C-alpha cells in the first residue's frame, strides 16, 4: 500500500497540489492567532486575506521554476511551467483585487494612490504592483513586443524579486497582521526561502556547473536545417540519462549569464562520454549553432523531464508520433532501445513537410535493422511518385496504424503545439487511456 | 488533455484559495460575545490601512 502511494502518478501529483495549497493557506490561518483589530467588516478582511494569499502564491512561483527534481519528475517541465504561468495570472488577479475591494468598501483608501504624499507602506504596494504589471505584460506580449529571450529572462527574474520583496515590505509596513514578531518571522522565512531558491538557481547552480564543463566535439549538418551538436565531458564522467530527457545548454559563455536553452538529447541515454543534441535553426540562438567551432566550452544542467519510455518498463510496446524536429527525444529513445536490444514493437508516425526535409531519415532507416520498428512517414508536400501517407496526422490516419489493443501501448507525442493538440484529441477519441499518452512541448520559452 | 487537466487544477486551487480568504474574513469578523482577557495575551494591534 505504501508503495502504491509512492509510485501512483495521480496520487503523487495530487499530493504536491495539497502541499502547494497548505503552504499558501497555513501562514494565512496562523494570522488568526492573536488577531488584529476586529470589526473592520467582512470585505476589508477578505481583501487582506486575498493580499496575503497573492503574496504566498508569488513566493511559491520561485519553487515552481527552480527545477526541483522531485516536483519536476511528478509532472514534467512543460506542465510545471504551464502551472507557473496560470497560477501567476491568478496571483496577479488577486494582487489587483486586493486594493480594488478596499477602494470600494473604504473609498478614503484611494488617497493612498497619491504617491508623493502617501506613506511608505502604500508606496511599496504601488511599486510592487507596477513591477508585477510589467512582469506580466512583458511575458504575455514578449513576442509581439519583440523582446529577445535572454534579456526577457533576466528582466523576468529581477521584476519577480522586486514584486515579492516590495509586497512583503508593504505587509510589514501595514503591520496589522504581522505586528507580532513571530508572525513576521514566519512570513519572513517564507519570503527568504523563495529568494534563496532564486539565489540557488542563478548563482549557486551555475557555480556548480562550472566544475563540470563540456567541450563541443562536432557540429554536423542534418536534413531539414537541423544540426547535431555533440559534446564530450572534460575531466569528468558526464551523465547518463533516461532517453527522451532534456538538458539546459549554455554555450561559449559562463553559466552565470542566464543565457541557457533547453534541448532534448538525441544520443543514447546509456552513453555518458558523448552527448548529442538535434537543434533546428529556428531562433536567434539556434541559428548560430552551425557556426560553433569544435573545442567551444559548454555547460549542461540536466537531465530533466519525464518524457521517457524508462518509466514504462512493462509496456507491451510504444507508439511514437512526431512532427519535424520533435524527433530529437524520440531518436534518443530508439537509439537507446537498439543498444539495449529492446525487442518490443515501436511504431513511429513521423510528419514532415517534404521527403528531403526529414531530419535523421537515414539513421531511422538503419535503426529498423536493429529494432522491431515500423516507420510511417507523413508528408505535407509529397513528391509526385509518393505512395505513402500525406497531409496531417489525423484520427483516420491513426486508426489505420494503431494496434487493436490500444491500452497495451504507451504513446509519446512530440511536435508543434497545434499538432500535439490534434493528435491528443484523436487518441482520446480512439479510446487510448489518458494515462498512456505522454507529450513533450519542445518550445518551453 | 494534460493541459486541460492542469487548467482544471488551477481553477480548483483558485476556488479553494478564495474560499480560504472568505473563511479568514468570516472568522475575523464574527461577533465577539465577550472580550476575554487571558493573562499574557498581547493586546490587539491598532488598525492601519
Amino acid at each position: 500500500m505504501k508503495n502504491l502511494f509512492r509510485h501512483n502518478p495521480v496520487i503523487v501529483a495530487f499530493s504536491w497540489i495539497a502541499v502547494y495549497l497548505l503552504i499558501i493557506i497555513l501562514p494565512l490561518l496562523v494570522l488568526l492567532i492573536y488577531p488584529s483589530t476586529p470589526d473592520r467588516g467582512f470585505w476589508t478582511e477578505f481583501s487582506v486575506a486575498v493580499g496575503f494569499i497573492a503574496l504566498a502564491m508569488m513566493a511559491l512561483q520561485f519553487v515552481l521554476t527552480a527545477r526541483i527534481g522531485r516536483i519536476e519528475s511528478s509532472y514534467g517541465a512543460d506542465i510545471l511551467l504551464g502551472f507557473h504561468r496560470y497560477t501567476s495570472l491568478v496571483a496577479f488577479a488577486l494582487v489587483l483585487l486586493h486594493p480594488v475591494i478596499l477602494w470600494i468598501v473604504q473609498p478614503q483608501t484611494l488617497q493612498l494612490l497619491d504617491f508623493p504624499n502617501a506613506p511608505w507602506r502604500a508606496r511599496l504596494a504601488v511599486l510592487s504592483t507596477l513591477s508585477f504589471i510589467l512582469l506580466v505584460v512583458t511575458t504575455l506580449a514578449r513576442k509581439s513586443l519583440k523582446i529577445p529571450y535572454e534579456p526577457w529572462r533576466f528582466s523576468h527574474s529581477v521584476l519577480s524579486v522586486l514584486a515579492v520583496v516590495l509586497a512583503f515590505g508593504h505587509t510589514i509596513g501595514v503591520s496589522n497582521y504581522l505586528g507580532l514578531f513571530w508572525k513576521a518571522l514566519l512570513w519572513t522565512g517564507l519570503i527568504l526561502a523563495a529568494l534563496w531558491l532564486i539565489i540557488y538557481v542563478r548563482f549557486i547552480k551555475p557555480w556548480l556547473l562550472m566544475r563540470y564543463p563540456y567541450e563541443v566535439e562536432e557540429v554536423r549538418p542534418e536534413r531539414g536545417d537541423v544540426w547535431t551538436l555533440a559534446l564530450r565531458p572534460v575531466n569528468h564522467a558526464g551523465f547518463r540519462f533516461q532517453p527522451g530527457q532534456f538538458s539546459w545548454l549554455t554555450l561559449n559563455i559562463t553559466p552565470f549569464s542566464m543565457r541557457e536553452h533547453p534541448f532534448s538529447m538525441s544520443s543514447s541515454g546509456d552513453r555518458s562520454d558523448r552527448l548529442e543534441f538535434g537543434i533546428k535553426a529556428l531562433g536567434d540562438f539556434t541559428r548560430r549553432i552551425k557556426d560553433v567551432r569544435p573545442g567551444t566550452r559548454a555547460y549542461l544542467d540536466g537531465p530533466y523531464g519525464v518524457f521517457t519510455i524508462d518509466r514504462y518498463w512493462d509496456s507491451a510496446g510504444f507508439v511514437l508520433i512526431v512532427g519535424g524536429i520533435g524527433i530529437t527525444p524520440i531518436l534518443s529513445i530508439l537509439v537507446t532501445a537498439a543498444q539495449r536490444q529492446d525487442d518490443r514493437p515501436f511504431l513511429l508516425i513521423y510528419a514532415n513537410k517534404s521527403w528531403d526535409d526529414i531530419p535523421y531519415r537515414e539513421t531511422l532507416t538503419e535503426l529498423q535493422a536493429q529494432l522491431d520498428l515500423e516507420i510511417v512517414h507523413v508528408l505535407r508536400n509529397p513528391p509526385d511518385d509518393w505512395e505513402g501517407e500525406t497531409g496531417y496526422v489525423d484520427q483516420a490516419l491513426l486508426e489505420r496504424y494503431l494496434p487493436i489493443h490500444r491500452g497495451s501501448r504507451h504513446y509519446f507525442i512530440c511536435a508543434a503545439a497545434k499538432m500535439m493538440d490534434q493528435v491528443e484529441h484523436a487518441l482520446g477519441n480512439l479510446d487510448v487511456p489518458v494515462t498512456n499518452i505522454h507529450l513533450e512541448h519542445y518550445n518551453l520559452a | 488533455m494534460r493541459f486541460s487537466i492542469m487548467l482544471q487544477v488551477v481553477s480548483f486551487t483558485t476556488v479553494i484559495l478564495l474560499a480560504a480568504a472568505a473563511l479568514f474574513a468570516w472568522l475575523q469578523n464574527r461577533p465577539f460575545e465577550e472580550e476575554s482577557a487571558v493573562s499574557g495575551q498581547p493586546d490587539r494591534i491598532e488598525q492601519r490601512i
Side-chain angles (χ1 to χ4, degrees):
Chain A
M1 182 61 84
K2 193 178 173 187
N3 221 26
L4 173 72
F5 275 94
R6 200 178 292 165
H7 294 291
N8 185 311
V10 177
I11 291 174
V12 171
F14 275 94
S15 303
W16 280 118
I17 291 162
V19 170
Y20 171 80
L21 285 171
L22 274 179
I23 293 176
I24 295 173
I25 292 172
L26 274 184
L28 176 74
L29 296 183
V30 162
L31 301 180
L32 288 170
I33 305 170
Y34 302 143
S36 91
T37 320
D39 306 329
R40 293 197 302 179
F42 175 87
W43 287 108
T44 299
E45 296 299 345
F46 183 74
S47 158
V48 169
V50 161
F52 275 108
I53 286 172
L55 177 58
M57 286 180 82
M58 284 157 71
L60 275 178
Q61 299 305 324
F62 293 93
V63 179
L64 296 175
T65 53
R67 301 178 202 161
I68 296 170
R70 291 189 68 173
I71 302 176
E72 200 260 347
S73 65
S74 304
Y75 300 95
D78 54 344
I79 285 289
L80 215 51
L81 275 184
F83 190 73
H84 160 61
R85 284 183 192 130
Y86 289 110
T87 51
S88 293
L89 289 176
V90 172
F92 181 58
L94 296 183
V95 163
L96 298 180
L97 186 64
H98 166 59
V100 166
I101 295 173
L102 278 182
W103 293 335
I104 293 170
V105 296
Q106 297 182 27
Q108 70 274 20
T109 53
L110 276 166
Q111 293 167 11
L112 296 172
L113 287 177
D114 179 11
F115 195 84
N117 300 315
W120 269 107
R121 58 182 185 275
R123 288 184 197 169
L124 291 175
V126 170
L127 290 174
S128 169
T129 309
L130 287 177
S131 303
F132 209 165
I133 290 171
L134 205 56
L135 183 77
V136 171
V137 169
T138 52
T139 302
L140 292 182
R142 179 171 77 83
K143 285 184 178 155
S144 50
L145 292 172
K146 293 183 179 161
I147 304 171
Y149 175 67
E150 289 153 2
W152 167 78
R153 219 169 147 223
F154 178 76
S155 68
H156 198 73
S157 298
V158 172
L159 288 170
S160 55
V161 169
L162 272 178
V164 169
V165 169
L166 293 170
F168 182 60
H170 165 68
T171 59
I172 292 285
V174 173
S175 79
N176 263 343
Y177 281 100
L178 297 187
L180 292 178
F181 174 74
W182 61 272
K183 288 185 187 175
L185 194 67
L186 175 76
W187 276 84
T188 306
L190 187 68
I191 302 302
L192 283 180
L195 295 180
W196 159 251
L197 279 174
I198 203 161
I199 289 168
Y200 176 77
V201 170
R202 301 293 172 224
F203 298 102
I204 295 172
K205 203 168 207 181
W207 177 73
L208 292 172
L209 291 181
M210 294 273 287
R211 298 165 62 190
Y212 299 97
Y214 289 79
E215 205 170 73
V216 173
E217 196 166 74
E218 185 187 8
V219 181
R220 191 176 66 234
E222 308 286 352
R223 291 180 180 277
D225 212 8
V226 170
W227 298 80
T228 291
L229 178 78
L231 303 179
R232 108 184 141 70
V234 178
N235 299 326
H236 63 97
F239 60 79
R240 291 159 73 102
F241 59 91
Q242 296 176 343
Q245 288 190 301
F246 70 93
S247 291
W248 291 83
L249 169 70
T250 305
L251 204 56
N252 208 18
I253 42 172
T254 165
F256 288 100
S257 63
M258 291 167 60
R259 286 156 63 185
E260 52 186 355
H261 299 262
F263 292 109
S264 294
M265 277 76 79
S266 58
S267 51
S268 167
D270 295 341
R271 198 177 157 186
S272 59
D273 62 326
R274 181 180 160 107
L275 291 134
E276 292 185 358
F277 298 83
I279 299 173
K280 188 173 175 73
L282 285 170
D284 299 336
F285 177 78
T286 50
R287 265 193 281 270
R288 296 197 299 266
I289 287 292
K290 65 178 188 306
D291 302 322
V292 173
R293 299 272 159 253
T296 301
R297 193 48 61 108
Y299 300 94
L300 290 177
D301 178 16
Y304 293 104
V306 293
F307 188 76
T308 173
I309 63 168
D310 280 13
R311 293 164 69 97
Y312 310 100
W313 60 271
D314 57 348
S315 177
F318 299 97
V319 177
L320 314 166
I321 304 166
V322 178
I325 190 56
I327 192 66
T328 312
I330 301 298
L331 185 63
S332 174
I333 286 171
L334 292 173
V335 169
T336 311
Q339 274 194 356
R340 293 177 184 170
Q341 298 180 321
D342 197 323
D343 60 355
R344 290 173 292 182
F346 290 82
L347 166 64
L348 171 63
I349 297 174
Y350 192 11
N352 279 284
K353 257 187 202 162
S354 68
W355 182 244
D356 290 332
D357 280 340
I358 301 175
Y360 302 106
R361 194 180 81 195
E362 288 79 6
T363 311
L364 291 168
T365 307
E366 286 166 21
L367 283 167
Q368 284 186 288
Q370 303 168 53
L371 284 170
D372 179 358
L373 170 63
E374 180 188 357
I375 302 177
V376 178
H377 287 291
V378 184
L379 300 180
R380 283 200 297 288
N381 304 317
D384 292 338
D385 57 347
W386 179 252
E387 291 178 351
E389 295 290 349
T390 59
Y392 294 93
V393 180
D394 54 18
Q395 190 171 325
L397 185 147
L398 289 169
E399 204 162 9
R400 283 198 290 278
Y401 293 98
L402 292 196
I404 298 166
H405 302 289
R406 285 165 189 158
S408 66
R409 311 290 165 95
H410 276 262
Y411 299 72
F412 289 78
I413 314 166
C414 189
K418 194 175 173 188
M419 178 177 163
M420 288 211 294
D421 288 345
Q422 285 170 348
V423 170
E424 190 185 13
H425 187 68
L427 290 177
N429 290 342
L430 292 169
D431 298 327
V432 173
V434 67
T435 48
N436 288 29
I437 302 174
H438 315 284
L439 300 101
E440 180 84 325
H441 289 81
Y442 56 69
N443 185 9
L444 290 179
Chain B
M1 184 72 77
R2 287 189 321 154
F3 258 77
S4 155
I5 293 170
M6 187 264 289
L7 283 176
Q8 288 173 45
V9 168
V10 172
S11 309
F12 168 75
T13 54
T14 305
V15 170
I16 297 279
L17 293 174
L18 286 174
L23 176 70
F24 176 92
W26 176 76
L27 287 173
Q28 186 59 340
N29 208 47
R30 72 206 145 130
F32 278 82
E33 287 177 6
E34 191 179 321
E35 194 69 40
S36 62
V38 179
S39 69
Q41 180 172 326
D43 290 328
R44 290 180 180 281
I45 297 150
E46 188 187 346
Q47 177 184 357
R48 293 167 84 186
I49 295 164

